[in-house]
Amino acid sequence: RVASFGPSHTLTAFVESDLGRLQRRRGRFASAESLFTRALATRRAELGPTHPIVGYSIDDLGRLAYARGDTAAGIPFMLE
């Protein structure tokens, strides 16, 4: 999708989120965090900070913190 739409397109962010979830399931937390962070930045920039889809990226980062066993780091994401 990056080649077709560019790195700052919402469709690219969807793919990054999906890949991040796959990486999280595989235990590749650093890679997942990078993908989730990029997706969140793109969605905030393109859709605005209050768009419901932005919440998916925030949720992904919260779930990643929980998967790492860092519940304290996950709580702020879940409350955002």
Side-chain angles (χ1 to χ4, degrees), residues 11-78:
L11 291 177
T12 302
F14 276 104
V15 172
E16 288 172 335
S17 291
D18 287 343
L19 290 173
R21 288 185 201 105
L22 177 64
Q23 296 291 54
R24 182 185 66 215
R25 286 187 202 109
R26 291 182 170 184
R28 297 176 183 163
F29 299 135
S31 178
E33 183 175 17
S34 176
L35 289 161
F36 290 150
T37 301
R38 279 200 313 255
L40 176 59
T42 298
R43 287 174 170 167
R44 279 185 170 152
E46 297 298 313
L47 302 172
T50 60
H51 194 282
I53 301 245
V54 172
Y56 293 134
S57 290
I58 295 168
D59 182 67
D60 285 333
L61 286 165
R63 289 176 186 271
L64 176 62
Y66 285 120
R68 285 180 166 158
D70 190 358
T71 55
I75 291 171
F77 291 111
M78 296 303 182

